[in-house]
Amino acid sequence: MKRPSGFDRSPERRPEAEPAPAPEEGGEAARPGLGRVGDGAATHLSSATADALRRAVTLRRPVRRPAEESAGADPDPDPATAESMTAGSAPARTAAEEPAAAPSVAPDAAETVDLSEVREAKAAGRALSLRRGERDEDPVRAAEKRLKAAGRQRRARIRSERKRFSADSRRRRRVWLIAGGAVLGLALFVLAGVFTPLMAVRDIQVEGTQAMNPDDVTGALARFDGVPLALVDDAEVHQALEPFPLVQRYAVERVPPSTLIVRIEERVPVMSIKEGEIFSVYDAAGVLLSSADAPAEGVPVGTGALADRSGVPFRTAARALRDMPAELRAQVAAVSASSGQDVTFALTSGVEVIWGDAERSAYKALVLQRMLASLAAQERPVSQVDVSSPGAPVFQ
């Protein structure tokens, strides 16, 4: 056993055989852990430890009876001595070899006890104090609070993100609905125009005709009356206008719900060529526009090499007549040329105009008009005007 001042942390185990302690001077036995009892000098312990020691002595060691103390019987004899007495075959010990008898202990002396329960009680007290400290600090509750706060923040972020993405989704949904509605409306419009008489042709308009009779063109397009606008074919319109040679180009416009507009650009008759007894009228491309026994009014008559419509003189003279203003072209009575460089016009007033080639025809026409107007204002007689070099015109 240990002294009370040095407690172990693990419970002590009683030895199997403990020899009797040797007596000290003074006749009193020295017991481990208590000091000398005979002197009355016991180890100083705390009140709690002393109470525990007294309880342990009461529980583990019964109080010696006076008869046992007077008889000197030891209730807990040494196991080795008991074993030797039982065998009876051990040799007799001498007085020197015999151990000294244990002195008698006073009834009020403290006994050596097992302090494992005391150590266990103190360890349990320390654990309890630690648990109380943990309850006072309450780290679990603090962690739960932090967890709840983090959960609230996460839910707030999720709500804000959901609102933002919900706004984006609503915007995208709105765009898709508008686009889908537009496509659906267009599809319904096309279906209504194709398969129902709601958008059939009821009004045909012809625009841009001057030499042509618009009623004749409208009569040729009457085949489209009652046909849905979406089903009016441009190829069929071309077939309807093909009998009119004055039509140079055209455009078809469909105006819902029931109007068909045809805009026509007529060919410009630039030259009339005598072929036998007939005068044929041609445009700048050499397309035959009409034929008559007499020259067409306002169309100059071509002579000489201009009879060959595929030659250079014809193309040069026709291009010059096409590019000059209509009021000046109406004053040209005849045109002649032997090559592409000597185109000559004869005006109805008797003035001969040397034109030259077809380059800068619009500028030459402007210079000629200004010279004729100036000479007429001066009342000067003029027989010939040369505008082949428009920067330096010459007249005589």
Side-chain angles (χ1 to χ4, degrees):
M1 300 299 292
K2 300 291 183 178
R3 295 180 180 273
S5 60
F7 297 119
D8 294 335
R9 295 191 177 273
S10 59
E12 296 181 353
R13 299 176 60 183
R14 182 182 298 277
E16 295 180 358
E18 183 178 356
E24 296 181 0
E25 294 180 1
E28 295 293 335
R31 297 185 179 272
L34 290 177
R36 288 176 297 181
V37 179
D39 296 341
T43 304
H44 295 284
L45 300 176
S46 64
S47 60
T49 307
D51 294 339
L53 288 173
R54 282 194 293 271
R55 286 196 299 271
V57 169
T58 304
L59 292 175
R60 294 183 175 271
R61 293 284 185 175
V63 181
R64 293 178 179 270
R65 296 178 180 179
E68 296 176 353
E69 292 178 358
S70 59
D74 192 357
D76 190 8
D78 190 359
T81 306
E83 184 176 343
S84 60
M85 292 173 65
T86 304
S89 60
R93 295 184 181 182
T94 61
E97 292 177 354
E98 286 292 333
S104 60
V105 182
D108 56 349
E111 298 290 339
T112 301
V113 297
D114 187 5
L115 301 181
S116 60
E117 289 188 0
V118 178
R119 288 193 291 271
E120 290 177 358
K122 296 186 71 174
R126 286 195 297 270
L128 181 60
S129 62
L130 290 176
R131 284 197 294 272
R132 287 177 179 175
E134 291 177 357
R135 284 200 300 271
D136 293 340
E137 297 177 359
D138 202 0
V140 176
R141 291 185 180 179
E144 290 178 354
K145 290 181 179 179
R146 291 194 297 270
L147 182 62
K148 290 180 180 179
R152 287 194 296 270
Q153 294 177 359
R154 179 175 176 274
R155 287 192 293 272
R157 288 196 301 269
I158 290 174
R159 283 195 298 269
S160 62
E161 292 295 323
R162 186 178 299 144
K163 288 181 181 178
R164 182 168 66 87
F165 284 108
S166 298
D168 292 341
S169 63
R170 287 195 299 269
R171 191 181 302 110
R172 288 194 298 270
R173 192 182 305 113
R174 190 183 307 113
V175 171
W176 279 108
L177 288 176
I178 293 173
V183 172
L184 181 60
L186 180 61
L188 293 177
F189 178 78
V190 171
L191 292 176
V194 173
F195 297 104
T196 63
L198 297 176
M199 301 181 65
V201 176
R202 297 185 183 88
D203 184 16
I204 300 175
Q205 299 178 7
V206 179
E207 298 178 358
T209 58
Q210 296 178 357
M212 299 172 58
N213 188 357
D215 295 335
D216 297 340
V217 180
T218 303
L221 297 174
R223 68 178 71 178
F224 300 107
D225 192 9
V227 178
L229 287 174
L231 297 181
V232 174
D233 191 4
D234 292 342
E236 295 182 2
V237 175
H238 180 78
Q239 292 178 0
L241 297 178
E242 193 173 5
F244 300 92
L246 287 177
V247 178
Q248 183 176 2
R249 59 179 62 91
Y250 66 91
V252 180
E253 183 179 355
R254 300 165 180 85
V255 180
S258 59
T259 302
L260 179 66
I261 300 176
V262 179
R263 293 184 173 87
I264 294 176
E265 182 180 350
E266 295 180 345
R267 295 180 182 273
V268 179
V270 296
M271 194 179 306
S272 178
I273 299 175
K274 185 177 181 180
E275 297 175 348
E277 299 296 331
I278 299 174
F279 291 89
S280 301
V281 179
Y282 296 94
D283 67 346
V287 177
L288 177 63
L289 302 181
S290 63
S291 299
D293 296 337
E297 184 179 356
V299 180
V301 178
T303 59
L306 299 179
D308 184 7
R309 297 188 304 276
S310 61
V312 175
F314 178 84
R315 293 198 300 270
T316 304
R319 179 182 173 187
L321 290 169
R322 182 197 64 187
D323 293 343
M324 67 174 54
E327 58 273 12
L328 181 59
R329 185 171 56 247
Q331 299 177 20
V332 179
V335 57
S336 62
S338 59
S339 65
Q341 304 295 327
D342 59 350
V343 177
T344 302
F345 299 135
L347 302 182
T348 55
S349 60
V351 178
E352 183 182 12
V353 179
I354 301 175
W355 196 265
D357 56 12
E359 300 296 329
R360 305 178 66 185
S361 295
Y363 184 53
K364 292 177 181 180
L366 180 61
V367 171
L368 178 60
Q369 287 178 323
R370 294 291 178 85
M371 289 184 66
L372 293 177
S374 178
L375 294 173
Q378 296 177 8
E379 296 182 356
R380 295 181 61 178
V382 177
S383 60
Q384 186 181 41
V385 178
D386 187 356
V387 293
S388 58
S389 296
V394 178
F395 68 91
Q396 61 180 6

